[in-house]
Amino acid sequence: MVPISVNSSKILIGDGLIDNIRLAITDLTCPCNVLIVSDSNVSKFYVGKVKSQLDKLNFEVYIYVLSPGEQYKSLNTIEKIYAILSQNFMSRCDAIVAIGGGIVTDVAGFAAATYNRGMKLIFVPTSLLAMIDASIGGKNGVNSEYGKNLIGTFYNPKLILIDPEVLKTLPQNELHCGIAEAIKYGCIKDEKLLDILENSDIGNYLNEIIYRSIMIKKEFVEKDEFDLGYRMHLNFGHTIGHAIERLYNYEKISHGQAVSIGMNIITKISEMMNLTQKGTLDRLSLVCKKYSLLTGDDLFFSNTDKISEIILHDKKILDNYLNLVLLKKIGESFIYKISSENIVDFIKGEYLI
Protein backbone atom coordinates (compact mmCIF):
# COMPACT_ATOMS: atom_id res chain seq x y z
CA MET A 1 0.00 0.00 0.00
CA VAL A 2 1.97 2.95 -1.36
CA PRO A 3 0.55 6.36 -0.38
CA ILE A 4 -0.29 8.87 -3.10
CA SER A 5 0.05 12.56 -2.36
CA VAL A 6 -2.29 15.05 -4.05
CA ASN A 7 -1.58 18.61 -2.93
CA SER A 8 -1.89 18.41 0.86
CA SER A 9 -3.92 15.17 0.89
CA LYS A 10 -2.49 11.73 1.59
CA ILE A 11 -4.33 8.92 -0.21
CA LEU A 12 -4.13 5.28 0.84
CA ILE A 13 -5.63 2.54 -1.36
CA GLY A 14 -5.98 -1.00 -0.08
CA ASP A 15 -8.42 -3.90 0.13
CA GLY A 16 -9.72 -4.24 3.69
CA LEU A 17 -8.54 -0.78 4.65
CA ILE A 18 -11.88 0.13 6.23
CA ASP A 19 -11.30 -2.61 8.81
CA ASN A 20 -8.00 -1.03 9.84
CA ILE A 21 -8.82 2.67 9.80
CA ARG A 22 -7.43 3.29 13.27
CA LEU A 23 -3.95 2.29 12.05
CA ALA A 24 -4.09 4.87 9.26
CA ILE A 25 -5.58 7.64 11.35
CA THR A 26 -2.84 7.44 13.98
CA ASP A 27 -0.62 8.88 11.25
CA LEU A 28 -2.26 12.23 11.98
CA THR A 29 -2.05 14.47 15.00
CA CYS A 30 -4.91 12.88 16.86
CA PRO A 31 -8.09 14.83 17.48
CA CYS A 32 -10.00 14.48 20.75
CA ASN A 33 -13.41 14.64 19.09
CA VAL A 34 -14.68 13.26 15.80
CA LEU A 35 -17.94 13.86 13.94
CA ILE A 36 -18.76 11.05 11.51
CA VAL A 37 -20.90 12.26 8.60
CA SER A 38 -22.61 9.62 6.46
CA ASP A 39 -25.93 8.91 4.76
CA SER A 40 -28.63 6.41 5.61
CA ASN A 41 -27.68 4.04 2.76
CA VAL A 42 -24.04 3.77 3.81
CA SER A 43 -24.25 4.16 7.58
CA LYS A 44 -25.76 0.72 8.18
CA PHE A 45 -22.70 -0.92 6.62
CA TYR A 46 -19.77 1.13 7.88
CA VAL A 47 -20.48 3.76 10.52
CA GLY A 48 -20.60 1.30 13.44
CA LYS A 49 -17.44 -0.39 12.22
CA VAL A 50 -15.53 2.90 11.97
CA LYS A 51 -16.89 4.23 15.26
CA SER A 52 -15.71 1.13 17.15
CA GLN A 53 -12.18 1.69 15.85
CA LEU A 54 -12.22 5.38 16.78
CA ASP A 55 -13.53 4.46 20.24
CA LYS A 56 -10.40 2.33 20.71
CA LEU A 57 -8.32 5.46 20.08
CA ASN A 58 -10.23 7.15 22.93
CA PHE A 59 -11.88 9.71 20.65
CA GLU A 60 -15.24 11.15 21.57
CA VAL A 61 -17.33 10.22 18.55
CA TYR A 62 -20.53 11.90 17.33
CA ILE A 63 -22.58 10.86 14.30
CA TYR A 64 -24.69 12.76 11.77
CA VAL A 65 -26.60 10.75 9.14
CA LEU A 66 -28.23 12.64 6.28
CA SER A 67 -30.80 11.41 3.79
CA PRO A 68 -29.35 10.34 0.42
CA GLY A 69 -29.92 12.59 -2.59
CA GLU A 70 -28.62 15.78 -4.19
CA GLN A 71 -31.52 17.76 -2.71
CA TYR A 72 -29.91 17.29 0.72
CA LYS A 73 -26.62 18.80 -0.44
CA SER A 74 -27.78 22.14 0.87
CA LEU A 75 -27.07 24.92 3.33
CA ASN A 76 -29.86 23.54 5.49
CA THR A 77 -27.87 20.32 5.94
CA ILE A 78 -24.73 22.33 6.68
CA GLU A 79 -26.57 24.22 9.43
CA LYS A 80 -27.51 20.91 11.06
CA ILE A 81 -23.86 19.84 11.05
CA TYR A 82 -22.79 23.20 12.49
CA ALA A 83 -25.30 22.68 15.31
CA ILE A 84 -23.76 19.35 16.30
CA LEU A 85 -20.24 20.80 16.15
CA SER A 86 -21.24 23.80 18.26
CA GLN A 87 -23.31 21.94 20.81
CA ASN A 88 -20.41 19.60 21.48
CA PHE A 89 -17.81 22.38 21.67
CA MET A 90 -15.76 20.99 18.80
CA SER A 91 -12.76 23.04 17.71
CA ARG A 92 -10.26 23.37 14.88
CA CYS A 93 -8.21 20.62 16.54
CA ASP A 94 -11.06 18.14 16.07
CA ALA A 95 -12.02 16.24 12.92
CA ILE A 96 -14.86 15.39 10.59
CA VAL A 97 -14.75 11.89 9.06
CA ALA A 98 -16.93 11.54 5.96
CA ILE A 99 -18.05 8.02 5.08
CA GLY A 100 -20.02 7.83 1.86
CA GLY A 101 -20.29 8.96 -1.72
CA GLY A 102 -19.77 12.31 -3.38
CA ILE A 103 -22.70 14.02 -1.72
CA VAL A 104 -21.40 13.10 1.73
CA THR A 105 -17.82 14.16 0.97
CA ASP A 106 -19.02 17.45 -0.54
CA VAL A 107 -21.20 18.29 2.46
CA ALA A 108 -18.66 17.19 5.07
CA GLY A 109 -15.84 18.96 3.24
CA PHE A 110 -17.76 22.23 3.10
CA ALA A 111 -18.64 22.02 6.80
CA ALA A 112 -15.04 21.23 7.78
CA ALA A 113 -13.69 24.07 5.63
CA THR A 114 -16.00 26.69 7.09
CA TYR A 115 -16.57 25.78 10.74
CA ASN A 116 -14.06 27.73 12.85
CA ARG A 117 -12.30 28.53 9.56
CA GLY A 118 -11.18 24.97 9.13
CA MET A 119 -11.19 21.60 10.91
CA LYS A 120 -9.30 18.42 10.22
CA LEU A 121 -10.96 16.35 7.52
CA ILE A 122 -10.78 12.67 6.59
CA PHE A 123 -12.61 11.03 3.69
CA VAL A 124 -13.62 7.37 3.49
CA PRO A 125 -15.30 7.24 0.06
CA THR A 126 -17.64 4.29 -0.47
CA SER A 127 -18.72 4.82 -4.09
CA LEU A 128 -16.55 4.55 -7.19
CA LEU A 129 -17.50 8.11 -8.14
CA ALA A 130 -16.27 9.42 -4.80
CA MET A 131 -13.10 7.31 -4.89
CA ILE A 132 -11.92 8.54 -8.27
CA ASP A 133 -13.42 12.01 -8.43
CA ALA A 134 -15.43 13.70 -5.66
CA SER A 135 -13.01 13.03 -2.80
CA ILE A 136 -9.89 14.07 -4.75
CA GLY A 137 -8.71 17.62 -5.34
CA GLY A 138 -10.22 19.71 -2.56
CA LYS A 139 -13.44 20.90 -4.20
CA ASN A 140 -16.50 20.77 -2.00
CA GLY A 141 -19.80 22.58 -1.89
CA VAL A 142 -23.56 22.61 -1.84
CA ASN A 143 -26.28 23.35 -4.36
CA SER A 144 -28.52 26.39 -4.59
CA GLU A 145 -31.69 27.14 -6.52
CA TYR A 146 -29.50 28.67 -9.23
CA GLY A 147 -27.19 25.73 -9.87
CA LYS A 148 -25.07 22.86 -8.68
CA ASN A 149 -22.09 23.48 -6.39
CA LEU A 150 -22.41 27.25 -6.68
CA ILE A 151 -21.60 27.60 -2.95
CA GLY A 152 -18.30 25.99 -2.06
CA THR A 153 -14.65 26.13 -1.12
CA PHE A 154 -11.32 24.56 -1.97
CA TYR A 155 -10.27 22.58 1.11
CA ASN A 156 -8.18 19.43 1.02
CA PRO A 157 -8.72 16.53 3.42
CA LYS A 158 -5.68 15.45 5.36
CA LEU A 159 -6.33 11.80 4.56
CA ILE A 160 -8.37 9.83 2.01
CA LEU A 161 -8.80 6.12 2.71
CA ILE A 162 -9.93 4.08 -0.30
CA ASP A 163 -10.98 0.46 0.18
CA PRO A 164 -12.11 -1.10 -3.15
CA GLU A 165 -13.70 -3.95 -1.19
CA VAL A 166 -16.57 -1.68 -0.13
CA LEU A 167 -17.72 -1.48 -3.75
CA LYS A 168 -19.10 -5.01 -3.30
CA THR A 169 -22.02 -3.48 -1.36
CA LEU A 170 -22.64 -0.82 -4.03
CA PRO A 171 -25.70 -1.30 -6.29
CA GLN A 172 -24.71 -1.87 -9.91
CA ASN A 173 -26.37 1.33 -11.13
CA GLU A 174 -24.31 3.33 -8.62
CA LEU A 175 -21.12 1.58 -9.72
CA HIS A 176 -21.94 2.46 -13.32
CA CYS A 177 -22.44 6.11 -12.37
CA GLY A 178 -18.85 6.08 -11.15
CA ILE A 179 -17.76 4.49 -14.40
CA ALA A 180 -19.05 7.63 -16.16
CA GLU A 181 -16.24 9.60 -14.47
CA ALA A 182 -13.69 6.92 -15.43
CA ILE A 183 -14.91 7.20 -19.04
CA LYS A 184 -14.34 10.95 -18.77
CA TYR A 185 -10.73 10.40 -17.68
CA GLY A 186 -10.14 8.01 -20.56
CA CYS A 187 -11.59 10.49 -23.04
CA ILE A 188 -9.58 13.50 -21.91
CA LYS A 189 -6.25 11.88 -21.10
CA ASP A 190 -5.85 8.09 -21.13
CA GLU A 191 -6.99 6.01 -24.11
CA LYS A 192 -5.65 2.87 -22.40
CA LEU A 193 -8.13 3.40 -19.56
CA LEU A 194 -10.95 3.68 -22.09
CA ASP A 195 -9.70 0.43 -23.70
CA ILE A 196 -10.05 -1.32 -20.33
CA LEU A 197 -13.56 0.01 -19.86
CA GLU A 198 -14.55 -0.97 -23.39
CA ASN A 199 -13.12 -4.46 -23.55
CA SER A 200 -12.79 -5.88 -20.04
CA ASP A 201 -14.82 -7.18 -17.15
CA ILE A 202 -14.36 -4.23 -14.81
CA GLY A 203 -14.72 -6.49 -11.78
CA ASN A 204 -11.21 -7.73 -12.54
CA TYR A 205 -9.81 -4.23 -13.07
CA LEU A 206 -11.36 -2.05 -10.36
CA ASN A 207 -8.08 -1.39 -8.57
CA GLU A 208 -6.38 -0.38 -11.82
CA ILE A 209 -9.34 1.81 -12.84
CA ILE A 210 -9.21 3.55 -9.46
CA TYR A 211 -5.44 4.04 -9.56
CA ARG A 212 -5.28 5.30 -13.16
CA SER A 213 -8.19 7.69 -12.58
CA ILE A 214 -6.64 9.14 -9.42
CA MET A 215 -3.29 9.65 -11.13
CA ILE A 216 -4.98 11.56 -13.96
CA LYS A 217 -6.84 13.78 -11.53
CA LYS A 218 -3.61 14.26 -9.54
CA GLU A 219 -1.89 15.69 -12.62
CA PHE A 220 -4.64 18.21 -13.31
CA VAL A 221 -5.25 19.43 -9.76
CA GLU A 222 -1.57 19.78 -8.88
CA LYS A 223 -0.97 21.97 -11.91
CA ASP A 224 -4.08 24.07 -11.32
CA GLU A 225 -5.40 23.68 -7.77
CA PHE A 226 -8.01 26.44 -8.00
CA ASP A 227 -9.53 25.53 -11.36
CA LEU A 228 -8.52 28.58 -13.35
CA GLY A 229 -7.23 26.86 -16.49
CA TYR A 230 -5.72 23.39 -16.93
CA ARG A 231 -7.96 21.73 -14.31
CA MET A 232 -11.01 22.74 -16.32
CA HIS A 233 -10.34 19.74 -18.59
CA LEU A 234 -11.86 17.64 -15.79
CA ASN A 235 -15.21 19.32 -16.54
CA PHE A 236 -15.71 17.38 -19.77
CA GLY A 237 -19.44 16.62 -19.93
CA HIS A 238 -20.16 18.52 -16.72
CA THR A 239 -21.43 21.84 -18.06
CA ILE A 240 -24.42 20.21 -19.71
CA GLY A 241 -24.52 17.48 -17.07
CA HIS A 242 -24.90 19.90 -14.17
CA ALA A 243 -27.60 21.79 -16.06
CA ILE A 244 -29.57 18.58 -16.59
CA GLU A 245 -29.30 17.74 -12.88
CA ARG A 246 -30.61 21.19 -12.03
CA LEU A 247 -33.41 20.90 -14.62
CA TYR A 248 -34.72 17.85 -12.77
CA ASN A 249 -34.10 19.32 -9.30
CA TYR A 250 -31.34 16.79 -8.60
CA GLU A 251 -33.91 13.99 -8.29
CA LYS A 252 -34.62 12.22 -11.59
CA ILE A 253 -31.15 12.07 -13.16
CA SER A 254 -28.07 10.96 -11.19
CA HIS A 255 -24.75 12.77 -11.52
CA GLY A 256 -23.14 9.93 -13.46
CA GLN A 257 -26.04 9.68 -15.90
CA ALA A 258 -26.08 13.46 -16.37
CA VAL A 259 -22.34 13.53 -17.08
CA SER A 260 -22.75 10.73 -19.61
CA ILE A 261 -25.44 12.73 -21.40
CA GLY A 262 -23.25 15.83 -21.24
CA MET A 263 -20.21 14.06 -22.71
CA ASN A 264 -22.22 12.60 -25.58
CA ILE A 265 -24.13 15.78 -26.43
CA ILE A 266 -21.10 18.08 -26.37
CA THR A 267 -19.16 15.59 -28.52
CA LYS A 268 -22.04 15.35 -30.98
CA ILE A 269 -22.05 19.14 -31.33
CA SER A 270 -18.25 19.39 -31.62
CA GLU A 271 -18.15 16.65 -34.27
CA MET A 272 -20.81 18.53 -36.25
CA MET A 273 -18.54 21.59 -36.07
CA ASN A 274 -15.49 19.57 -37.20
CA LEU A 275 -13.74 20.31 -33.91
CA THR A 276 -13.57 16.62 -32.94
CA GLN A 277 -12.25 13.65 -34.90
CA LYS A 278 -15.06 11.80 -36.67
CA GLY A 279 -16.00 8.53 -35.01
CA THR A 280 -15.24 9.80 -31.50
CA LEU A 281 -18.93 10.04 -30.63
CA ASP A 282 -19.62 6.49 -31.82
CA ARG A 283 -16.91 5.09 -29.57
CA LEU A 284 -17.97 7.20 -26.60
CA SER A 285 -21.64 6.26 -26.99
CA LEU A 286 -20.90 2.53 -27.19
CA VAL A 287 -18.86 2.44 -24.00
CA CYS A 288 -21.49 4.48 -22.16
CA LYS A 289 -24.24 2.12 -23.31
CA LYS A 290 -22.19 -0.86 -22.12
CA TYR A 291 -22.73 0.45 -18.58
CA SER A 292 -26.38 1.43 -19.12
CA LEU A 293 -25.47 5.11 -19.13
CA LEU A 294 -27.74 7.55 -20.94
CA THR A 295 -26.60 9.32 -24.09
CA GLY A 296 -29.57 11.64 -24.01
CA ASP A 297 -30.62 12.98 -27.41
CA ASP A 298 -34.35 13.04 -26.73
CA LEU A 299 -34.05 14.27 -23.15
CA PHE A 300 -31.58 16.99 -24.11
CA PHE A 301 -32.90 18.38 -27.38
CA SER A 302 -36.44 18.70 -26.01
CA ASN A 303 -35.11 20.99 -23.25
CA THR A 304 -32.41 23.08 -24.93
CA ASP A 305 -33.93 26.46 -23.99
CA LYS A 306 -34.17 25.60 -20.29
CA ILE A 307 -30.74 23.96 -20.25
CA SER A 308 -29.16 26.98 -21.98
CA GLU A 309 -30.72 29.32 -19.43
CA ILE A 310 -29.27 27.27 -16.56
CA ILE A 311 -25.84 27.21 -18.21
CA LEU A 312 -25.82 31.01 -18.28
CA HIS A 313 -25.38 30.80 -14.48
CA ASP A 314 -22.49 28.32 -14.76
CA LYS A 315 -19.52 29.09 -12.51
CA LYS A 316 -17.16 28.30 -15.41
CA ILE A 317 -18.20 31.54 -17.13
CA LEU A 318 -15.26 33.91 -16.67
CA ASP A 319 -15.04 37.40 -18.19
CA ASN A 320 -18.26 36.73 -20.13
CA TYR A 321 -16.84 33.56 -21.71
CA LEU A 322 -17.82 29.97 -21.01
CA ASN A 323 -14.95 27.51 -20.97
CA LEU A 324 -16.20 24.32 -22.62
CA VAL A 325 -14.15 21.12 -22.67
CA LEU A 326 -14.13 19.38 -26.05
CA LEU A 327 -12.22 16.40 -27.43
CA LYS A 328 -9.80 16.57 -30.31
CA LYS A 329 -9.92 12.79 -30.21
CA ILE A 330 -10.07 10.08 -27.56
CA GLY A 331 -7.32 10.80 -25.04
CA GLU A 332 -6.87 14.46 -25.97
CA SER A 333 -9.07 17.34 -24.81
CA PHE A 334 -8.93 21.12 -25.16
CA ILE A 335 -10.66 24.23 -23.81
CA TYR A 336 -13.02 25.98 -26.21
CA LYS A 337 -14.10 29.49 -25.21
CA ILE A 338 -17.48 30.75 -26.26
CA SER A 339 -19.03 34.12 -25.43
CA SER A 340 -22.14 34.20 -23.26
CA GLU A 341 -24.20 35.67 -26.10
CA ASN A 342 -23.50 32.60 -28.27
CA ILE A 343 -24.10 29.90 -25.65
CA VAL A 344 -27.72 29.24 -26.60
CA ASP A 345 -26.92 28.80 -30.31
CA PHE A 346 -23.96 26.57 -29.49
CA ILE A 347 -25.99 24.31 -27.22
CA LYS A 348 -28.63 23.97 -29.93
CA GLY A 349 -25.95 23.05 -32.45
CA GLU A 350 -26.66 26.19 -34.47
CA TYR A 351 -23.46 28.10 -33.71
CA LEU A 352 -21.10 28.76 -36.61
CA ILE A 353 -17.37 29.37 -36.08
Side-chain angles (χ1 to χ4, degrees), residues 150-171:
L150 285 183
I151 306 166
T153 68
F154 289 90
Y155 192 75
N156 288 294
K158 295 293 184 185
L159 185 63
I160 303 168
L161 303 173
I162 295 174
D163 182 351
E165 288 287 310
V166 307
L167 297 177
K168 292 178 180 178
T169 63
L170 198 68

Side-chain angles (χ1 to χ4, degrees), residues 12 18 27 42 48 54 81 113 184 198 215 233 246 260 287 298 322 348:
L12 297 177
I18 202 165
D27 236 9
V42 171
L54 297 178
I81 294 174
K184 174 195 76 177
E198 285 174 316
M215 294 307 290
H233 287 254
R246 175 66 189 88
S260 177
V287 69
D298 292 342
L322 176 65
K348 291 182 176 181

Side-chain angles (χ1 to χ4, degrees), residues 58-345:
N58 296 316
F59 295 162
E60 190 70 38
V61 180
Y62 306 94
I63 297 170
Y64 176 72
V65 177
L66 62 143
S67 299
E70 281 280 346
Q71 63 269 40
Y72 297 102
K73 202 169 85 170
S74 67
L75 288 174
N76 183 53
T77 298
I78 296 297
E79 286 287 354
K80 292 176 181 177
I81 294 174
Y82 289 159
I84 296 173
L85 297 172
S86 298
Q87 290 162 8
N88 292 288
F89 303 99
M90 294 182 71
S91 74
R92 297 175 70 186
C93 296
D94 298 319
I96 292 179
V97 176
I99 308 171
I103 293 170
V104 170
T105 58
D106 267 4
V107 167
F110 184 82
T114 51
Y115 183 77
N116 277 345
R117 297 191 177 92
M119 299 175 64
K120 293 173 185 172
L121 179 63
I122 298 168
F123 284 160
V124 185
T126 58
S127 70
L128 181 61
L129 192 151
M131 290 178 182
I132 66 176
D133 186 64
S135 69
I136 314 292
K139 277 187 180 180
N140 54 73
V142 295
N143 304 326
S144 82
E145 63 178 299
Y146 298 104
K148 180 164 177 170
N149 296 331
L150 285 183
I151 306 166
T153 68
F154 289 90
Y155 192 75
N156 288 294
K158 295 293 184 185
L159 185 63
I160 303 168
L161 303 173
I162 295 174
D163 182 351
E165 288 287 310
V166 307
L167 297 177
K168 292 178 180 178
T169 63
L170 198 68
Q172 187 179 65
N173 65 313
E174 290 295 328
L175 183 67
H176 288 176
C177 283
I179 290 295
E181 292 289 353
I183 291 170
K184 174 195 76 177
Y185 289 128
C187 285
I188 66 172
K189 192 67 179 178
D190 185 357
E191 187 172 5
K192 172 62 177 174
L193 175 56
L194 198 70
D195 287 340
I196 293 170
L197 296 169
E198 285 174 316
N199 302 311
S200 304
D201 177 354
I202 61 166
N204 299 323
Y205 286 88
L206 277 176
N207 285 38
E208 182 173 355
I209 291 168
I210 291 168
Y211 180 79
R212 294 181 82 103
S213 297
I214 289 173
M215 294 307 290
I216 293 167
K217 187 152 192 182
K218 171 183 168 70
E219 176 188 337
F220 282 100
V221 302
E222 288 188 337
K223 289 184 177 179
D224 178 21
E225 182 174 5
F226 299 111
D227 204 14
L228 297 173
Y230 188 58
R231 182 172 176 166
M232 289 182 181
H233 287 254
L234 296 172
N235 291 320
F236 175 55
H238 284 61
T239 297
I240 290 174
H242 284 173
I244 290 171
E245 288 181 88
R246 175 66 189 88
L247 180 67
Y248 290 99
N249 295 315
Y250 311 111
E251 292 177 349
K252 181 179 177 181
I253 304 292
S254 70
H255 177 68
Q257 292 286 10
V259 168
S260 177
I261 294 170
M263 291 189 294
N264 280 272
I265 293 299
I266 203 69
T267 302
K268 181 172 187 172
I269 294 169
S270 62
E271 270 199 29
M272 289 168 51
M273 297 174 63
N274 294 315
L275 297 170
T276 298
Q277 185 180 85
K278 298 298 184 185
T280 301
L281 176 63
D282 289 341
R283 189 174 176 189
L284 172 59
S285 295
L286 282 174
V287 69
C288 288
K289 289 174 181 176
K290 177 182 175 180
Y291 298 101
S292 303
L293 294 167
L294 301 174
T295 55
D297 277 17
D298 292 342
L299 183 151
F300 175 80
F301 286 112
S302 62
N303 291 287
T304 51
D305 288 334
K306 293 178 181 177
I307 288 170
S308 299
E309 183 179 345
I310 294 168
I311 288 174
L312 288 172
H313 292 280
D314 195 285
K315 58 186 175 295
K316 292 179 288 298
I317 294 179
L318 301 173
D319 295 328
N320 206 39
Y321 278 86
L322 176 65
N323 293 282
L324 286 169
V325 184
L326 308 180
L327 301 179
K328 290 184 179 178
K329 59 182 181 178
I330 296 294
E332 187 176 350
S333 58
F334 67 101
I335 303 293
Y336 184 83
K337 290 182 177 291
I338 184 165
S339 67
S340 297
E341 63 188 25
N342 291 320
I343 287 174
V344 174
D345 287 343

